[in-house]
Amino acid sequence: MNEKNKFRASSKYFTISIYTIVTTIIIAAVVKLIFFWNDASVIIHGLLSTLSPFIIGIIIAFLINPLINWLRLTVFMRWFRIKRKTLANALSILVAYALVIFVIILAMIYIIPEIMNSLTLFVEKIPEWADAIIRFINNFAQKHPNMNFQYVISSIGNADTYVKDSLDKLIPTLTNTLVVTGVSVVRYIFNFIVAVIVSCYLLIDKKKQARSIKRVIYAFMPEEKASRFCEIIRHAITIFSNFFDGKMVDSLIIGLLTFLSMLIIGLFRVPGFTECALLISIIVCVTNMIPYFGPFLGGIPCALLLCIYSPKSGLIFGLLIIIIQQLDGNVIGPKILGDSTGLRPLWVIFAITIGGWIAGIAGMFLGVPCLAVVSGIMEEIVDGRLKQRDIYMPVLDKESGAQKKPPRQKRN
């Protein structure tokens, strides 16, 4: 074969081809999502259902990783003086999973009976509440004879009957649902077991996995862009880790404070405080993970739950939650979280609102760190553009609101 006609590989045209293929795939995906949403949603749902064990495994690994790091560095390497990092890492993973499983089993043993008891008391109190409301309206109507409350009284009586009938039908319906969805329950259990196994492998090989991903990024991107991309990923992981680690510790402290406070108040014979202390403390602990709105999401249902025992108990609990949240917002939260997200309160509320609209409760959890990552990236881009244009315009000082003055330069 003639040397001139011999095929020669060109990295330039290879790169152009890769970009063309990727762009075509992205455009086809966007067109599919916009114009064929029903078919695309079925495909997305099936794909997410198939990948759910891996997604859940990644979430489990992300949440349990701080506990593993603490066990490895503090417990095994510092306290027990284990020098081999591999052994310390294996022991920390084993102990961390054992602790989490133990807490889950313990919580299920104590929480489920507490929930059933609360529902039973709620059902028993419904006729009593309806009679109390009707008596109040009748007394009010006697003082104001010109006002007709017959429609309100009949509505309350009908609502009482409707709620009791619905609860009477709930048990057989629930039984049939459990029988029909037995296969789904088995599948969910299987997916959860697979997710736990996936999370274990991710935690064992996390350095190797990170190294492999970094190699791929540097292999297909220019070095400068690859470094920038890796820095963005590292920044995002740092924000997520700092936010969730601090928020989990803060929520555990708030839950413990709520539990101890309810036990102490219960010693003064406040109805419901001792009986519901564990259940309410767990609800407050979980919902406290959501900034600003979390105390209301957890406090209002718990106050209504305590109203089963007496309205006075619900009022006392409301005052208790206000005191604890003031302590959290002014003392505990700033000490633990600091400025982990760098967002102002307005943007935190905006992130929670948009996140809740997009993905419900999960979106409210993830909205703040996601917006913090986007805000950090945008701030770096804006700083770079201003620096290129030789414009000095720093962000406002967080405490005083005044612009920080640049350092004085010596004149030549």
Side-chain angles (χ1 to χ4, degrees):
M1 181 182 291
N2 191 355
E3 188 69 22
K4 295 181 179 180
N5 297 328
K6 186 177 180 180
F7 175 79
R8 295 180 181 178
S10 175
S11 59
K12 176 182 178 182
Y13 292 109
F14 176 76
T15 304
I16 294 174
S17 301
I18 293 296
Y19 280 130
T20 303
I21 294 172
V22 172
T23 304
T24 304
I25 293 173
I26 293 174
I27 293 174
V30 172
V31 171
K32 182 74 173 178
L33 289 173
I34 295 175
F35 296 101
F36 305 95
W37 171 247
N38 292 330
D39 297 336
S41 62
V42 173
I43 296 174
I44 293 172
H45 183 269
L47 182 62
L48 291 176
S49 178
T50 304
L51 296 177
S52 60
F54 298 93
I55 297 173
I56 296 173
I58 293 172
I59 296 173
I60 293 174
F62 182 82
L63 293 176
I64 204 172
N65 186 56
L67 177 60
I68 292 173
N69 290 335
W70 180 79
L71 288 172
R72 185 183 70 252
L73 297 175
T74 305
V75 176
F76 293 107
M77 298 186 71
R78 182 181 299 175
W79 295 352
F80 290 94
R81 300 186 181 280
I82 296 177
K83 301 299 181 181
R84 294 178 57 186
K85 294 183 179 180
T86 306
L87 178 60
N89 190 50
L91 289 174
S92 61
I93 292 174
L94 181 63
V95 172
Y97 275 93
L99 286 173
V100 171
I101 293 172
F102 174 75
V103 170
I104 291 174
I105 294 174
L106 194 65
M108 291 179 65
I109 292 174
Y110 283 98
I111 292 175
I112 292 178
E114 188 71 29
I115 293 174
M116 298 305 296
N117 292 334
S118 300
L119 288 175
T120 304
L121 288 172
F122 182 79
V123 174
E124 293 175 353
K125 285 285 185 178
I126 288 175
E128 182 181 338
W129 288 345
D131 293 339
I133 294 173
I134 291 174
R135 286 197 303 270
F136 174 79
I137 293 175
N138 287 330
N139 294 331
F140 189 81
Q142 291 178 0
K143 297 179 181 178
H144 302 81
N146 296 328
M147 301 179 67
N148 186 10
F149 293 93
Q150 190 61 39
Y151 175 76
V152 177
I153 294 174
S154 62
S155 299
I156 294 172
N158 294 333
D160 180 21
T161 305
Y162 174 77
V163 171
K164 287 194 295 184
D165 292 340
S166 300
L167 291 173
D168 291 336
K169 296 177 182 178
L170 177 62
I171 295 177
T173 304
L174 183 61
T175 303
N176 294 332
T177 304
L178 290 175
V179 173
V180 172
T181 59
V183 178
S184 299
V185 172
V186 173
R187 182 168 61 86
Y188 290 147
I189 294 174
F190 175 76
N191 288 342
F192 181 75
I193 294 173
V194 174
V196 172
I197 295 173
V198 169
S199 65
C200 288
Y201 280 111
L202 287 173
L203 292 168
I204 292 171
D205 296 332
K206 59 183 178 181
K207 291 186 177 180
K208 293 182 180 179
Q209 298 291 341
R211 183 70 176 177
S212 300
I213 295 173
K214 194 173 182 179
R215 281 167 51 85
V216 173
I217 293 173
Y218 274 88
F220 290 95
M221 295 179 66
E223 184 176 357
E224 184 177 351
K225 292 183 178 180
S227 300
R228 174 64 178 157
F229 185 72
C230 291
E231 183 63 31
I232 291 173
I233 294 177
R234 192 180 301 110
H235 181 60
I237 293 175
T238 301
I239 290 177
F240 270 85
S241 299
N242 291 340
F243 177 77
F244 280 107
D245 296 351
K247 206 58 180 161
M248 283 191 291
V249 174
D250 177 61
S251 298
L252 287 174
I253 294 174
I254 295 302
L256 183 61
L257 280 176
T258 304
F259 180 74
L260 295 176
S261 301
M262 292 188 70
L263 289 181
I264 294 171
I265 295 176
L267 296 176
F268 298 96
R269 297 181 180 180
V270 178
F273 267 64
T274 304
E275 295 83 355
C276 298
L278 179 61
L279 176 62
I280 289 178
S281 300
I282 292 174
I283 294 173
V284 170
C285 175
V286 174
T287 55
N288 193 72
M289 287 288 295
I290 302 174
Y292 293 102
F293 297 110
F296 300 101
L297 293 176
I300 294 175
C302 293
L304 294 176
L305 178 63
L306 285 171
C307 286
I308 294 174
Y309 297 90
S310 71
K312 178 183 176 182
S313 301
L315 179 61
I316 294 174
F317 176 77
L319 296 175
L320 175 64
I321 284 296
I322 291 174
I323 294 172
I324 292 177
Q325 289 303 322
Q326 289 297 318
L327 182 64
D328 180 33
N330 296 297
V331 180
I332 301 175
K335 292 291 183 182
I336 296 175
L337 290 170
D339 194 12
S340 59
T341 60
L343 296 177
R344 306 301 298 168
L346 176 63
W347 290 109
V348 172
I349 297 174
F350 174 80
I352 295 171
T353 305
I354 299 299
W357 174 66
I358 295 174
I361 298 296
M364 298 178 77
F365 278 107
L366 299 174
V368 175
C370 287
L371 184 61
V373 172
V374 175
S375 175
I377 295 171
M378 288 300 299
E379 186 175 338
E380 291 183 5
I381 293 174
V382 170
D383 288 342
R385 296 285 294 178
L386 290 174
K387 187 176 181 181
Q388 289 178 359
R389 301 180 64 183
D390 197 20
I391 298 175
Y392 180 80
M393 190 178 292
V395 295
L396 297 180
D397 186 79
K398 295 178 181 178
E399 295 182 358
S400 63
Q403 286 190 352
K404 297 179 180 178
K405 296 181 180 180
R408 293 183 180 180
Q409 298 181 355
K410 296 181 178 180
R411 295 182 179 179
N412 294 329

